[in-house]
Amino acid sequence: MAGLLPISFAYPWLLLGLLALPLLIWLLRAVPPAPVLQRFPAVGLLLGLKDDEAQSDRTPWWLLALRIFALAAVIVGFAGPVLDPQTPPAEGRGDLLVVMDSTWASAAGWSRTRTTLEAELEAASRAGRRVAVLQLTDGTTEAPQFNTAEHWLAAVPSLVPHPYEVGVDQVLQRIEGIEGNELDVFWMSDGRNWQGREEVLAALEELGPVRVYETGAPIFALGPAEFQDRAITVPVLRDVAVSAEGLSVAVIGPDPSGVERVLLQTPVEFDGGSMETEVVLELPPEIRNRITRLTLTGQNHAGAVWLSDDALKRREVALFSAQSEQEALAVLDPLHYLRQALVPSTDLIDGAVAETLLANPDVVIFADIARLADEDNAALIEWVEKGGLLVRFAGPRLAASDLSRAEEDPLMPVRLRAGGRTVGGAMSWGQPRELAPFAAESPFFGLEVPDDVAITAQVIAEPDPTLSARVLASLKDGTPLVTRKELGNGHVVLFHVTASARWSTLPLSGLFVQMMERLAISSQGMPIEEQKLEGTVWTPKQVLDGFGQIGLPSAELAGVKGEQLAEAPLSAEVPPGVYTSEDRQIARNVGVDTEQLLPMDWPTRIPVDGVAVERPQPLKGILLAAALVALLADALAALMLSGKLRREVVHGAFAAAAVMLFAAEDARAQEELPPLDPKAYAATREVVMAYVETGDTAVDEVSYAGLYGLGLVLNLRTSIEPAEPIAIDLEEDELAFYPMIYWPITPEQPLPTPAAYAKLNRYMQKGGLILFDTRDADRVSYRGTSENARKLQQLARQLDIPPLEPVPDDHVLRRTFYLLSDLPGRYYGPDVWVEAAPADAERAEGMPFRNLNDGVTPVVIGGNDWAAAWAMTENGNRMFTVGRGRGGERQRELAFRFGVNLMMHVLTGNYKSDQVHVPDLLERLGQ
């Protein structure tokens, strides 16, 4: 490609055609346009007359210029002209050394960087210069080798940014190994003043003059996310004070079906010219524990991604103890020290065993519990086999029982000897025993054993061939102290001492909390410490590349020692990603801070290019279009000069075209779309539940919170992903967009107008469902009434409500998702009413339910105050108590299940009743 000033040509030899233009000019001037012939015999009459329009005997100069321009435009256009306003690459004399930062920050403008690199290499190729490329983060230790520019052009697609910082010491060694002098150095910088850049610059200047290229692309990055006060705080930083419009923090994790998607998106706002801000994410525990990463939208580098690990997840731990809750001294409570260790970092669950397992906790802890009821025992075994972790602590009750004596109990890791061992007991120690150092295969390996941890009593494991493989910790005399076994996909762990300080001082030490962490019982949202990870090996599960994309680790990437994972800077050996050990996860992130985004202030002797990049502009299309217009104008001019086209016609054509053009523009300007209803737009994009505004602020807030809580449950348990609920005004809003409308009844709410009643009747006829809730089940008897019930009767007089009946046992509402016998809300009340089944509906042979109508009941009427049972705050906390005692949470769970069934019924109809046709279909197939 040849160049002329800022314009270059792909086929410069075609410009030789311009040499033919003088010959063309001579031909055009020698051959004027044909004269106009007018046959008229009476020539005498013309004598003395003067023609107002003289015909030239030569081609007019303006027509000649127009034709010359058209031909020149065609020749130059086909020569492939390209306008490149950038300063052309310096030709130089010696070899060229290209230095590339290639850090995660370089990814923000990598496409510009690669285009500029290709231009430099093409210039070097034309000049016949050798080139070497030095990537400062490629992880190699060898000095770069010089090769042809064509070789490096072919290698450009393989050059990518890396997700870590520059290792300055390693880079300086590589620069020292570069052979040759008087090089031209072209440094492609990421624009940041990273630590050690001055030393690298000094080393490069010893090789030759340095030119710098920066893309000038703004950088937005995430700082270390922290979990505080039940919320995730995410710092967001920028390198220059540019607009952050459209920038948001996206929370990503799997949905209930396991498909990864955006769970929440929060916009980012900076105050004035500040370089840092914070985004606070308040999420319920069930959503927070599903987070896999946080990302900045629109940013394609590793600094805009924060991978989640155990630090952002609060495990749910269920604690059980056989001791009375009325213990006089708290420190003697078997659960006291466990609560102290777990409360800061976990969500504790209390309740009966069977009910607690329904909440699917992460860990169950037993403190001195021996026997369980058969039902609880079976449920607990099933839960552990599915991946649960059961941690048991010994105590007097366990030591005195016959549990796991004759044969090993499924929920015990070892068999136990009768009695136990104590200081001064039958199997006595002369003095308290100390812990032995943890073995290399133990999850506690690397933890330092304090000298003040002493054991005064314990239960003894019965020796057998499998015992040694199950010991996680032991005393100095070899007696097992902590044992573990696998049960299905889960584990059972036994501490052979109490959870209190009765049998040992272990619960009083910091080692106790560290052992809990190693067992993945708790996760402290604190910086990784080398001491805590000493002796462990971590396997990379997922790694980040420079563009912030998650992938699998390469086969060459081996396990990382805990000490190295905690302290070593990110590099090719320890890339950012998620690392696992046993059941624990730790994420290493770029974790940008303010100093990492400080811009580089280059010395005045260093030329800096590329901050404002203008891409080359091809001119071929423009020139060929101009040539076409010139040729059309030439044709019109030739027709006009020959008399075959009147000037008035030409002028009129141009005037008509102008009028039509401006008329079309004016018509388009006057076209205005009607304003968009925001509620209708939101309701048509996603599934939205609505509630009727009653005018009572407290009732309306409960309605919103109830549908919000039901939406969270639907999102977690089903494929329905409802958006935030919407309040509707029956007089103003369209109802057809909402599959279900919750209508709480209050005595003071006004009656709808006839127009609103017409909308309501049309809504029910078209398949919509209204849930009328009088919220009075706690105040009325079976046959009693209330103000709310009387108000409902008044409201319903003008509604087209079909005959009703209490929900029958075989109604599809009881089995669309869950099998339900009761439909409670915050209260258990009288019957819940739905559309009555047809009088001729009968059970099909072999089916437990009737062949009901295919539609959806248009109304569901009750007084159980379902919204209050569903109501949740934005951080996932329940707003109201439900029921009494431990059965209350079971009642709330049934209320949620009713809500799930209700929405499934609205969206799918009576599809489950279609099973009544199975006998007929089988009979026909048999025929």
Side-chain angles (χ1 to χ4, degrees), residues 703-732:
S703 299
Y704 173 87
L707 296 184
Y708 175 80
L710 178 59
L712 291 179
V713 173
L714 287 166
N715 189 36
L716 286 171
R717 304 184 185 182
T718 72
S719 59
I720 304 174
E721 299 178 359
E724 290 192 14
I726 292 179
I728 56 173
D729 184 340
L730 295 177
E731 307 297 335
E732 302 294 335

Side-chain angles (χ1 to χ4, degrees), residues 21 43 237 475 485 515 557 632 699 802 827 889:
L21 290 180
V43 178
L237 305 93
L475 303 181
K485 78 170 182 181
M515 294 175 75
L557 190 60
L632 290 175
V699 173
Y827 311 108
E889 286 307 310

Side-chain angles (χ1 to χ4, degrees), residues 109 116 222 400 469 482 492 495:
T116 303
L222 293 177
V482 183
V492 178
F495 282 75

Side-chain angles (χ1 to χ4, degrees), residues 336-350:
H336 173 73
Y337 293 102
L338 285 170
R339 288 194 179 98
Q340 294 296 317
L342 299 177
V343 162
S345 58
T346 62
D347 292 324
L348 301 182
I349 302 176
D350 294 318

Side-chain angles (χ1 to χ4, degrees), residues 105-118:
S106 302
W110 193 253
S111 59
R112 299 180 186 178
T113 299
R114 190 162 62 180
T115 300
T116 303
L117 176 60
E118 290 174 344

